[in-house]
Amino acid sequence: MFKPAGIIPALITPFDAKQNIDEPALRQLVRRQIEAKVHGLFCLGTNGEFFSLTEDEKLRVAEIVIEEARGKLPVYVGAGCITTQETVSLAVRLEQMGADALSVITPYFLTFTQQELIAHYRTVAEATRLPIILYNIPARTGNSLHPKTVEELSKVPNIVGIKDSSGSFDTILQFIELGGPDFAVLAGADSLILATLMAGGHGAIASTANVFPEIVGSIYDLWKQGELEQAELSQRKLRALRNSFALGTLPSVLKEVMNEMGLPAGESRLPVQPLAASAKAEVRSMVERYKEEGVVK
């Protein structure tokens, strides 16, 4: 049985000056993650701007990431859409393409009952043989997966885990308790990676790993080795980066940090605007501090 674990970067989708997918840049960024020895790759998530991509663009991004991974590590692909029918269609295509697992965000725009969410996930799970990771991010979707709902869905054979981006550690604890030992609970809030691991979780799908793959990966590796103080030091190094995300609309700050470091992130897709000059100056200052501390080379 496929069991998600470790640090899985939530990859950005780089765009060129014409707002098209920058395919060479995407390949470069994926190779950088593989060289950093992360534990998986996750594309078409929130930081990957899945909401701004056409279905053809989603499939192309997935194709590139799968090609570059070459079976060296598992590729998780976001398949969630507003309707069940769209989600099933995309899930089937991604399975045919060679994805290793699917992340399925809750439907969004409308507010759904827990029974509607259960029926949605059951239908998607029945349509594919791939392992499915539930994706709970209520601040963005307006829909929250309740712990008892997750407990029920954890009994579906190919629903193997959940990424929780609620920011609530208590919610993570309930998912761990109710999901059982074979159900993988992954932190989606990067400030909770170590706490989630220590509580019995299995890892994280982490946006900060776009910037610091080795550091974020070391949180998991050091925790596994029992080096908790060192793992905590790695966790703390993410704080300034995490705090900077408030400077702009997601994922503009993350991309600006990467651009400042010489990584080919490009701009976010409109209507998300580039950062204001003052925010760019703050990002530049933060990156310089990281360089002075030896965190960024």
Side-chain angles (χ1 to χ4, degrees):
M1 175 62 72
F2 182 90
K3 194 165 186 177
I7 300 303
I8 305 153
L11 298 169
I12 64 149
T13 302
F15 297 115
D16 62 23
K18 294 182 179 179
Q19 296 261 294
N20 296 316
I21 296 168
D22 188 337
E23 296 190 5
L26 178 57
R27 292 184 186 277
Q28 178 183 334
L29 294 174
V30 170
R31 289 171 191 162
R32 177 174 178 262
Q33 296 292 338
I34 295 170
E35 290 169 3
K37 296 183 171 26
V38 296
H39 306 98
L41 298 167
F42 172 45
C43 61
L44 301 181
T46 306
N47 283 281
E49 299 176 78
F50 81 94
F51 45 82
S52 72
L53 300 173
T54 67
E55 181 169 309
D56 285 345
E57 287 176 323
K58 291 178 183 179
L59 292 169
R60 183 57 181 155
V61 167
E63 183 178 35
I64 289 169
V65 176
I66 292 166
E67 285 176 1
E68 291 297 329
R70 298 175 186 172
K72 296 176 184 175
L73 69 177
V75 175
Y76 304 72
V77 186
C81 303
I82 291 180
T83 68
T84 305
Q85 182 179 18
E86 287 177 290
T87 306
V88 165
S89 174
L90 185 55
V92 169
R93 294 286 300 278
L94 291 170
E95 179 176 354
Q96 293 169 345
M97 189 173 286
D100 295 293
L102 302 176
S103 166
V104 180
I105 197 169
T106 59
Y108 41 96
F109 188 75
L110 296 178
T111 302
F112 300 98
T113 68
Q114 294 300 296
Q115 286 305 311
E116 286 171 329
L117 294 174
I118 288 170
H120 172 76
Y121 280 108
R122 285 188 179 278
T123 301
V124 176
E126 289 168 1
T128 178
R129 292 172 296 178
L130 290 180
I132 290 174
I133 294 101
L134 310 173
Y135 183 7
N136 188 47
I137 183 167
R140 302 290 177 187
T141 65
N143 287 285
S144 180
L145 287 167
H146 295 176
K148 286 292 186 181
T149 298
V150 172
E151 180 182 28
E152 183 168 343
L153 288 173
S154 71
K155 298 171 185 175
V156 178
N158 61 328
I159 295 181
V160 299
I162 185 168
K163 174 190 178 184
D164 181 68
S165 296
S166 68
S168 166
F169 187 54
D170 183 63
T171 298
I172 286 177
L173 292 175
Q174 291 184 71
F175 289 160
I176 292 170
E177 178 185 356
L178 296 175
D182 295 325
F183 186 74
V185 177
L186 304 169
D190 291 17
S191 59
L192 296 176
I193 296 172
L194 183 57
T196 297
L197 290 168
M198 292 177 67
H202 296 76
I205 296 178
S207 62
T208 54
N210 283 282
V211 177
F212 302 136
E214 291 92 353
I215 292 171
V216 184
S218 74
I219 298 172
Y220 180 82
D221 294 334
L222 289 165
W223 164 79
K224 204 166 186 181
Q225 295 161 18
E227 301 285 347
L228 297 184
E229 288 187 13
Q230 292 301 312
E232 175 61 27
L233 289 175
S234 292
Q235 177 73 72
R236 288 180 190 173
K237 290 175 182 176
L238 307 182
R239 189 174 299 159
L241 176 57
R242 282 277 303 166
N243 290 344
S244 74
F245 290 170
L247 293 172
T249 303
L250 181 149
S252 59
V253 178
L254 180 58
K255 285 191 164 184
E256 183 62 29
V257 173
M258 295 175 71
N259 290 329
E260 187 66 31
M261 291 173 57
L263 298 169
E267 303 291 352
S268 300
R269 185 166 269 183
L270 297 172
V272 178
Q273 293 285 329
L275 294 187
S278 58
K280 285 188 177 184
E282 287 194 51
V283 166
R284 193 173 303 114
S285 176
M286 179 189 66
V287 172
E288 286 301 318
R289 287 196 302 273
Y290 272 128
K291 288 179 178 178
E292 290 169 4
E293 295 167 2
V295 178
V296 174
K297 297 178 181 178

